[in-house]
Amino acid sequence: MREGGCSCGAVRYRLTSDPLFVHCCHCLNCQRQTGSAFVINLLIEADRVELLAAEPEPVDVPRGSRSKQRIWRCPTCRVAVFSKYTSAKMRFVRGGTLDEPASVEPDVHIYTRSKLPWVELPESARSFRSYYDTEKEWPAASLERLAALRKR
Ligand SMILES: [Zn+2]
Ligand SMILES: [Zn+2]
């Protein structure tokens, strides 16, 4: 089981299973939010993110379109630990906040149309200029979990 948290240690979390899928997102929103080249997001059911210490604080952040993204941050050091995009039942946990960030690898690279030119992806990487078709890319077990999540 993976654990992680913010920089000051006030927020700690545990993922009670493997993620459904892992994104490396090269979109401009993620670049701005992280101040970096991309973000690594572990997609997982919200109830599989167990909070072990302080409650992170939700902050609604405007995105390029009309939509908003809810980002949960440590109330003390303000490091972002996870977000919500469309479904409240799903979390996007930020891979860099894991105690062992090397314990996950991206399943897909998305929004590579805005990938910084000096970021070179491995030949084997599954990459998409924008988003992708979940039904085509997710493993069967994750699609089953997704279907179960939608029914709740
Ligand atoms: Zn903190
Ligand atoms: Zn993004």
Side-chain angles (χ1 to χ4, degrees), residues 25 27 30 85:
C25 186
C27 84
C30 290
Y85 288 81

Side-chain angles (χ1 to χ4, degrees), residues 48-114:
R48 296 190 188 199
V49 182
E50 210 181 300
L51 295 176
L52 308 174
E55 287 272 328
E57 240 170 47
V59 180
D60 287 332
V61 178
R63 311 181 67 225
S65 49
R66 279 157 292 169
S67 61
K68 283 202 174 164
Q69 180 187 347
R70 175 159 285 190
I71 301 178
W72 277 264
R73 294 180 175 276
C74 169
T76 307
C77 73
R78 302 285 164 184
V79 163
V81 285
F82 47 79
S83 358
K84 176 197 77 123
Y85 288 81
T86 47
S87 170
K89 299 172 185 173
M90 180 100 80
R91 292 282 177 270
F92 284 55
V93 177
R94 295 204 169 182
T97 66
L98 291 168
D99 293 341
E100 291 173 46
S103 72
V104 289
E105 275 186 42
D107 292 303
V108 289
H109 290 262
I110 59 175
Y111 292 100
T112 57
R113 65 185 181 206
S114 47

Side-chain angles (χ1 to χ4, degrees), residues 45 47 87 89-90 142-152:
E45 295 92 331
D47 62 3
S87 170
K89 299 172 185 173
M90 180 100 80
S142 294
L143 287 172
E144 274 172 38
R145 279 165 62 186
L146 181 63
L149 188 67
R150 282 177 174 157
K151 271 191 221 139
R152 274 193 244 156

Side-chain angles (χ1 to χ4, degrees), residues 121-138:
L121 305 183
E123 288 274 315
S124 59
R126 275 191 282 169
S127 66
F128 299 88
R129 285 187 54 74
S130 57
Y131 208 71
Y132 62 90
D133 182 347
T134 303
E135 299 289 330
K136 275 193 197 148
E137 302 301 327
W138 284 27

